[in-house]
Amino acid sequence: MHPNNSPERTDAPPTDLETLVAQRTHELQKALDRAQALYDHAPCGYLSLDAQLRLVNINQTLLSWLGYRREEVQEGMDIFQLIDPTWRTAIQGRLMTLLQQGQTEPLEIEVLHKDGRRFHALFSSTAVYDEQGTFLYSNTTLVDISERKAAEQRVAAHDGFLQTITDRIPARLAYYDKDLICRFANTAHASRYGKLAGEMVGSHLTQVVRPELLPEILPRVAEALSGHAQSFEAERSAADGSRSFYEIHYIPDVQNGNVEGIFIELHDISERRRTEEFVLEANRDLEERVRERSAELFQSEQRYRLMVDAIQDYCIYFVDEEGAVTEWTESAQRMHGHRRSQMLGQPYTTLLAPENAGEDEVDPGQVLRLAKTHGQWETRGWRLREDGSRFWAHTVLTALSNEAGELQGLSSITRDMTASKSLEDVMNDLNRELEKRVAERTQQLVAANKDLDVFSHMVSHDLRAPLRHIASFVSLLQEQLGESGDKLVKQYLNSTATASKRMSHMIEGLLEYARLGRVTIESQPVPLTPLLEGIVAHLKQENPGRSIEWVVEDDLPVVRGDAMLLAQAWSNLLGNSVKYTRPRENARIEVGWKVNPVGGRTFYVHDNGVGFDLEKAHNLFVMFQRQHHSMDFEGTGTGLALAQRIIERHNGRIWAETAPGEGCTFYFTLPFEGLEPELDFPKSSLVELSA
C-alpha cells in the first residue's frame, strides 16, 4: 500500500473531468452556434411545422424575405399568416402525403411579404420522427424562384409574340424535332387539320398526316433530318373535298453541326397554278390565230416558268418606330442576302431600290406613319438584295402594341412577287394583241356593213322595180284572158303571180334584216305585260275560227330595250306558234319567264304544234330556211331570222327545244330593267331553263 499516494489518486481525476466537460461543452456550444448561424443565414428559407401546420421554428433568411423581425413571429403561429391562404388545401394535401410517405414532391406557391407583396417559392418538406416512429414535425424548405418565374413569363410572352407574328403569315408553318414531335405550329397550319395551334404541340407527325400520304412524306422528312433541305410541289385535298396545290419546304434545323429538327413551310399556289393554266390556254389560242408570233410566245411562257420557279417565299424582320431594324431573321437573310450583323440598327430604307417605280409606292417615312396610324399598311415596289439585284415585293408593315396600347415596334412581312409582276406584263402584252385583233376585225365588219348597204340599195331600187313590172304584166294578162281563157295558161299565170308576191315578201324580209343590223336601238324600260296583251289580241283577231288556249304569266317583268323591235320579235315568235299549231284541234301556247343566273331574264314561248327534228335544223335562224314545206305551212322563212337579229341587238341570245310531233319551245334572254334581286325562280315556271 502507498498511503502517501492515495490522496493524489483520489483528487486528480475529478479535476480533469470537469475541465474536459467544460471544454466539450464549450465546443458543442460553438458548433451549435455555427449550426444555428448556418441555419439562420442559409441561402434558402427553412421552417418547421407541426401536424396542425403551426410554426415550430423559422430561420432568419426566411424572416428577411418576409420582412418580419424574429420577435414578431411566435411559435405556434398559423403558417397561412405567412403563406397565401389560397394554398391551404394544396399544402394540407401535401402534409397528408408527408405523414404517410415521409416526403412530398416540391410545390410552387406564393408567399406573402409583410407589406402585402407576393413572391414565388418552391415548397418542399420532409418528416422528422422520434425513436418510436411518431411524427414530430416537418422540415420545410422554401426556395425563392421569383427570377425563374419572371424568366418563364418573359419566355412565354416572347413565344406568344412570335406566335402572333407567324399567325399573320398566310403560309403554313410548323416545327418538328428530330423525334418528329410537333413543337410549334401557326394557326394556318393547325387549321388545315381542324385543330388549334396549341393542340398541335406534342403530336407525332404520323398522328397529324393522313396515312395514305406518309409513304410520300416520310422519305423527304428523313432526307431533311439528314441535313438535306427538301422543296417540292404537291396536290392536297381538304376535308370538303376541294383540291389545292402547295409548294412545300422541309428545312433542317442545324445546331452545333447536328440536325435537331425540321422547319415545315407550306404555301398555297393554287391560284398560281390556275393562272399558269390560263396563260397556257391563252398561248395556245394565240398560236392558232397568230402563228407568226408562236416562237415569241413560247419564249415568254418559258421565261414565266423560270420566274415562277425562283419565287423566294416570305421573309420577316422587325423595325422600331423610326424604321431602324431591331431584329433580322433567317428568312430575311435568305431573301435579301444581308447578314444579321449587317442589318441591325440600319434603316429599312436601305432595302428599297433607289429608283422605285411602284404603282402604289409612297414615301418610306409616310409608310411608317400610315402603318402606325392604321395599325397596318401594304406597299409594293422594288427591293434590293445584297448582290445589288432587285425583286418586286409585296410588303405588309404591322404596328405591334402591348396590352396597354403602347407601340413596341413594327413587323415587316415581305413576299417576292416578281413572277406575278412578270405575269401581269405578259397579260398586258396579250391584251394589247387582242385589242389589235379586235380593231382589225372591227374594220372588216365596217367594210362588210358598207357592202351590205350597197347590196340593200341595189335590192331596194334595182330588183324591186323589175319585180313590180312582172307582177303588173301578169295582172294585165289575167284581166285580158278573163274567165274564158285557157285553164292551163291561167294556172301558169296564178303560179307566176304567187311566186312574184313571195319574192317580193322575201325581198322585204331581206331589207328588214339588213336594216336591223344598222338601226339604232332606242333603249328604254319596256313593260312586257301590255305589249303581249296587244300582240295576242291581234293574233286572235287574225284567227277568229281557231281554238287556241293562251297561257301568259301575269307577272312578266319590265325589260330594257327598243319597244318597237321587241314587239316585232314577240309577234314573229307567237305568230310562228299560231301557224304550226293549226293541225291541233285544241292548240295551247304558253309564255313565261325565269331569272337568268348570269344576269337578265330568260323568256320562253311553248306550243303543242307539229314541232320538227332539231338535229336537222342546223340553219334554223338563217334567212329563208324553213323546216316544213311551203305547201303545208305558208311563209318565207324570215320570221325566226328577224327575231334572232332583234334579240342579239339587245345583247341576248335565242335557242329552241323541239321534237317532231311534240311541239316546240323557243327560249331567249333580254336585259333586266333595274337592280338584280337574289336569284329566285318563280313557281309559275313550267320548264327548267339554263343560261
Side-chain angles (χ1 to χ4, degrees):
M1 296 184 65
H2 299 278
N4 293 331
N5 295 334
S6 297
E8 294 179 359
R9 291 194 300 267
T10 303
D11 296 338
T15 300
D16 295 340
L17 180 60
E18 290 175 359
T19 301
L20 181 60
V21 169
Q23 183 179 357
R24 291 297 296 165
T25 301
H26 179 69
E27 292 174 354
L28 289 174
Q29 185 62 45
K30 287 178 63 177
L32 183 61
D33 291 341
R34 285 196 300 272
Q36 184 64 41
L38 291 173
Y39 175 80
D40 279 339
H41 301 289
C44 56
Y46 290 111
L47 56 87
S48 299
L49 302 175
D50 61 15
Q52 285 74 41
L53 297 178
R54 292 192 300 269
L55 186 65
V56 175
N57 198 2
I58 184 170
N59 73 342
Q60 187 60 42
T61 299
L62 185 54
L63 286 173
S64 300
W65 288 355
L66 298 175
Y68 289 98
R69 297 190 304 275
R70 183 167 293 280
E71 56 268 21
E72 293 179 295
V73 179
Q74 303 296 326
E75 184 176 350
M77 175 187 292
D78 186 354
I79 186 58
F80 293 104
Q81 292 179 254
L82 305 177
I83 297 175
D84 190 335
T86 57
W87 294 94
R88 180 182 294 272
T89 301
I91 293 177
Q92 286 178 338
R94 294 302 174 99
L95 181 61
M96 293 299 297
T97 303
L98 184 67
L99 293 174
Q100 296 171 1
Q101 302 178 3
Q103 61 182 11
T104 63
E105 294 294 328
L107 173 68
E108 291 185 7
I109 64 172
E110 286 185 305
V111 181
L112 287 173
H113 193 274
K114 181 180 179 181
D115 60 8
R117 290 184 290 109
R118 301 168 185 265
F119 65 90
H120 292 273
L122 189 64
F123 180 96
S124 58
S125 296
T126 57
V128 177
Y129 302 92
D130 61 11
E131 294 179 354
Q132 288 74 33
T134 303
F135 177 82
L136 296 176
Y137 54 86
S138 67
N139 279 333
T140 301
T141 304
L142 285 96
V143 179
D144 188 350
I145 59 172
S146 300
E147 292 184 1
R148 192 194 77 186
K149 293 294 289 186
E152 290 176 353
Q153 291 173 355
R154 288 193 298 271
V155 170
H158 184 264
D159 290 344
F161 180 74
L162 291 180
Q163 184 74 47
T164 301
I165 295 301
T166 55
D167 284 346
R168 291 178 178 270
I169 301 176
R172 297 171 177 175
L173 305 177
Y175 178 82
Y176 285 80
D177 62 18
K178 57 187 177 183
D179 296 322
L180 300 184
I181 303 299
C182 180
R183 298 304 179 190
F184 173 81
N186 70 347
T187 298
H189 186 85
S191 62
R192 172 171 174 78
Y193 302 102
K195 297 182 178 181
L196 299 175
E199 296 173 344
M200 292 285 292
V201 176
S203 302
H204 195 274
L205 182 65
T206 57
Q207 297 174 314
V208 176
V209 178
R210 296 198 306 273
E212 63 269 20
L213 297 178
L214 290 175
E216 173 192 352
I217 290 176
L218 289 180
R220 296 182 183 274
V221 171
E223 284 293 317
L225 289 175
S226 299
H228 305 292
Q230 302 291 302
S231 296
F232 59 98
E233 294 182 3
E235 184 181 5
R236 296 288 184 260
S237 59
D240 58 3
S242 61
R243 308 289 292 179
S244 300
F245 292 90
Y246 292 94
E247 184 179 286
I248 304 174
H249 301 279
Y250 294 161
I251 303 172
D253 176 23
V254 181
Q255 299 181 20
N256 299 324
N258 298 320
V259 178
E260 299 297 332
I262 57 172
F263 296 95
I264 296 179
E265 298 180 22
L266 285 86
H267 301 275
D268 192 336
I269 59 170
S270 302
E271 187 64 28
R272 191 190 80 189
R273 281 294 188 94
R274 285 191 289 268
T275 303
E276 289 178 355
E277 293 173 1
F278 173 78
V279 171
L280 290 175
E281 183 63 29
N283 285 339
R284 283 193 290 267
D285 184 59
L286 285 176
E287 286 171 1
E288 293 177 1
R289 299 184 184 185
V290 194
R291 295 190 178 278
E292 63 272 16
R293 290 197 59 195
S294 59
E296 181 181 348
L297 291 177
F298 176 77
Q299 293 175 359
S300 176
E301 188 267 343
Q302 291 300 312
R303 287 195 301 270
Y304 168 69
R305 281 187 174 276
L306 292 174
M307 285 186 289
V308 168
D309 292 339
I311 286 179
Q312 292 289 324
D313 306 327
Y314 293 85
C315 85
I316 306 173
Y317 61 89
F318 301 90
V319 299
D320 60 20
E321 56 184 317
E322 301 300 327
V325 176
T326 58
E327 182 63 30
W328 188 252
T329 64
E330 291 184 6
S331 62
Q333 181 173 334
R334 285 197 303 271
M335 181 171 289
H336 288 278
H338 298 284
R339 295 187 300 278
R340 187 171 186 272
S341 59
Q342 293 175 308
M343 288 305 302
L344 288 181
Q346 296 296 318
Y348 88 101
T349 53
T350 59
L351 303 174
L352 306 181
E355 298 179 358
N356 211 334
E359 57 185 19
D360 59 353
E361 192 76 52
V362 296
D363 179 76
Q366 187 177 357
V367 170
L368 287 175
R369 290 193 296 273
L370 291 171
K372 290 184 285 188
T373 302
H374 299 284
Q376 190 175 84
W377 192 258
E378 297 184 19
T379 180
R380 294 174 177 82
W382 292 106
R383 301 292 183 265
L384 287 176
R385 293 192 175 91
E386 185 185 26
D387 59 5
S389 61
R390 301 190 311 170
F391 64 95
W392 185 261
H394 171 250
T395 302
V396 179
L397 277 174
T398 303
L400 305 174
S401 302
N402 57 19
E403 296 180 355
E406 299 170 342
L407 183 65
Q408 302 297 299
L410 298 96
S411 68
S412 174
I413 301 175
T414 301
R415 184 181 182 185
D416 186 346
M417 300 292 288
T418 307
S420 298
K421 181 170 176 59
S422 300
L423 174 60
E424 181 181 351
D425 294 339
V426 171
M427 294 304 299
N428 289 335
D429 292 340
L430 298 180
N431 287 334
R432 283 192 290 271
E433 178 63 25
L434 290 176
E435 289 173 359
K436 178 182 176 182
R437 287 294 179 181
V438 170
E440 293 175 354
R441 183 59 178 164
T442 301
Q443 292 177 355
Q444 295 173 0
L445 292 176
V446 169
N449 282 335
K450 289 182 179 178
D451 293 340
L452 184 60
D453 288 339
V454 173
F455 175 73
S456 299
H457 179 79
M458 180 191 70
V459 170
S460 177
H461 294 83
D462 298 341
L463 294 183
R464 294 173 72 186
L467 188 61
R468 282 196 300 270
H469 291 164
I470 293 172
S472 298
F473 282 116
V474 168
S475 178
L476 291 174
L477 285 173
Q478 287 175 330
E479 292 178 3
Q480 184 71 27
L481 289 174
E483 296 296 331
S484 60
D486 185 275
K487 291 184 179 181
L488 185 59
V489 173
K490 291 172 67 176
Q491 181 179 350
Y492 291 160
L493 290 175
N494 289 336
S495 297
T496 304
T498 300
S500 138
K501 184 177 181 180
R502 176 179 174 81
M503 186 174 180
S504 178
H505 290 324
M506 292 175 69
I507 291 174
E508 292 294 338
L510 184 60
L511 291 174
E512 178 65 17
Y513 188 82
R515 185 186 69 84
L516 289 175
R518 303 189 306 275
V519 68
T520 301
I521 300 296
E522 298 293 338
S523 184
Q524 60 184 340
V526 180
L528 291 184
T529 297
L531 185 145
L532 286 182
E533 287 177 351
I535 296 173
V536 171
H538 179 72
L539 291 173
K540 287 181 179 179
Q541 186 177 2
E542 287 186 343
N543 300 273
R546 293 283 305 278
S547 173
I548 302 177
E549 179 185 1
W550 292 90
V551 182
V552 182
E553 291 188 8
D554 56 4
D555 59 347
L556 293 174
V558 176
V559 298
R560 173 162 286 278
D562 189 300
M564 296 298 294
L565 294 180
L566 290 178
Q568 183 180 351
W570 277 103
S571 180
N572 289 352
L573 292 174
L574 294 175
N576 196 67
S577 294
V578 170
K579 178 169 58 177
Y580 291 110
T581 57
R582 190 165 55 217
R584 305 303 186 203
E585 182 177 351
N586 296 312
R588 179 183 173 90
I589 300 175
E590 303 172 10
V591 177
W593 68 284
K594 283 183 179 290
V595 175
N596 191 335
V598 297
R601 298 292 181 268
T602 299
F603 300 90
Y604 65 88
V605 176
H606 173 72
D607 62 61
N608 63 342
V610 297
F612 55 89
D613 189 350
L614 192 60
E615 293 184 358
K616 298 180 180 179
H618 303 298
N619 300 318
L620 180 61
F621 298 104
V622 177
M623 287 289 289
F624 311 133
Q625 297 297 314
R626 295 171 49 82
Q627 308 307 314
H628 301 278
H629 199 278
S630 60
M631 296 180 63
D632 298 326
F633 297 96
E634 72 281 358
T636 60
T638 60
L640 291 180
L642 293 175
Q644 183 198 41
R645 173 151 275 200
I646 292 171
I647 291 168
E648 287 180 346
R649 287 300 309 276
H650 285 79
N651 296 321
R653 67 188 188 94
I654 183 171
W655 68 98
E657 292 182 3
T658 182
E662 297 182 5
C664 180
T665 303
F666 282 96
Y667 300 100
F668 59 95
T669 60
L670 288 173
F672 175 61
E673 170 63 16
L675 296 176
E676 292 285 354
E678 293 184 2
L679 295 181
D680 181 23
F681 292 88
K683 296 181 180 179
S684 59
S685 299
L686 301 177
V687 293
E688 287 294 329
L689 305 180
S690 60

